[in-house]
């Protein structure tokens, strides 16, 4: 093998290792980095109070009314509701004002809910991963609620 072929082979192997290095990602979380995934909102507890599914769907629809937001993930736990969203590229300069507007809009429409609102991409990814994990039959509601609290804590540390 010549030096050029050997270098090319090492480069290809390195690229393959880098691309497969993040195996803990779920299919949706991988795609969420590149495009709009439009995940369905989730209620963690299987026997939610009446109207919880409609509530999270309403939260998602209310969030989508802001033109600068193009992808939203909503997860409702026992006490907390996490709303993670992605902002269009040209609106990234006013992310704080978008977050403030969204928080005020949600708190005025749903005063009984405790919201955590985030435009941080890491929080969005973790929310998508949690949503995918909740779909697995062996992932308990308690684990899901604990993970939701960890994501909210991470968001609070980032801000």
């Amino acid at each position: 093998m010549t030096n050029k072929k050997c270098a090319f082979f090492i480069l290809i192997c390195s690229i393959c290792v880098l691309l497969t290095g993040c195996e803990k990602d779920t299919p949706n979380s991988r795609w969420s980095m590149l495009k709009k995934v439009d995940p369905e909102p989730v209620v963690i507890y299987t026997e939610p109070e009446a109207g919880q599914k409609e509530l999270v769907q309403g939260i998602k629809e209310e969030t989508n009314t802001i033109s600068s937001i193009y992808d939203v993930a909503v997860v409702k736990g026992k006490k907390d509701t996490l709303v993670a969203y992605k902002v269009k590229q040209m609106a990234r300069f006013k992310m704080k004002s978008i977050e403030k507007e969204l928080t005020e809009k949600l708190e005025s429409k749903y005063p009984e809910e405790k919201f955590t609102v985030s435009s941080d991409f890491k929080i969005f990814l973790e929310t998508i991963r949690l949503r995918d994990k909740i779909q697995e039959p062996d992932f308990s509601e308690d684990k899901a609620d604990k993970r939701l609290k960890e994501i909210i804590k991470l968001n609070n540390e980032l801000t």
Side-chain angles (χ1 to χ4, degrees):
M1 234 189 208
T2 66
N3 284 338
K4 286 184 180 181
K5 286 183 180 179
C6 186
F8 181 73
F9 179 73
I10 291 172
L11 177 68
I12 295 298
C13 288
S14 299
I15 290 172
C16 290
V17 167
L18 287 174
L19 291 176
T20 59
C22 299
E23 278 304 309
K24 76 174 195 171
D25 285 347
T26 60
N28 282 335
S29 68
R30 274 188 227 126
W31 282 113
S32 69
M33 291 186 258
L34 302 173
K35 66 177 189 167
K36 180 177 178 178
V37 290
D38 197 30
E40 284 297 314
V42 176
V43 178
I44 289 178
Y45 293 92
T46 54
E47 295 184 25
E49 298 171 15
Q52 293 296 303
K53 295 225 183 243
E54 291 80 18
L55 172 75
V56 292
Q57 189 63 42
I59 291 169
K60 181 174 179 168
E61 290 170 5
E62 192 69 30
T63 303
N64 280 328
T65 62
I66 298 176
S67 63
S68 302
I69 296 174
Y70 73 94
D71 209 0
V72 181
V74 179
V75 177
K76 168 112 178 75
K78 201 174 240 182
K79 296 179 183 174
D80 302 303
T81 303
L82 176 62
V83 180
Y85 59 92
K86 292 192 282 188
V87 177
K88 293 179 182 174
Q89 191 65 33
M90 295 306 292
R92 297 192 70 76
F93 295 109
K94 53 182 185 166
M95 286 173 62
K96 285 292 181 191
S97 64
I98 293 168
E99 187 171 324
K100 183 179 178 187
E101 176 188 353
L102 178 60
T103 303
E104 289 173 357
K105 186 180 259 194
L106 291 175
E107 287 177 349
S108 68
K109 186 157 185 173
Y110 306 100
E112 67 284 349
E113 293 299 315
K114 181 180 175 196
F115 288 104
T116 299
V117 177
S118 179
S119 62
D120 191 284
F121 194 69
K122 174 72 174 169
I123 302 301
F124 186 85
L125 276 174
E126 291 300 323
T127 305
I128 296 296
R129 287 179 184 147
L130 173 60
R131 185 195 167 284
D132 290 344
K133 283 288 216 184
I134 289 171
Q135 309 302 323
E136 295 175 5
D138 61 333
F139 197 72
S140 73
E141 294 171 346
D142 292 332
K143 283 183 186 177
D145 200 47
K146 181 180 178 189
R147 182 66 187 135
L148 176 63
K149 289 176 183 174
E150 290 171 358
I151 295 170
I152 291 171
K153 183 180 177 187
L154 175 65
N155 180 61
N156 293 337
E157 289 173 0
L158 293 173
T159 55

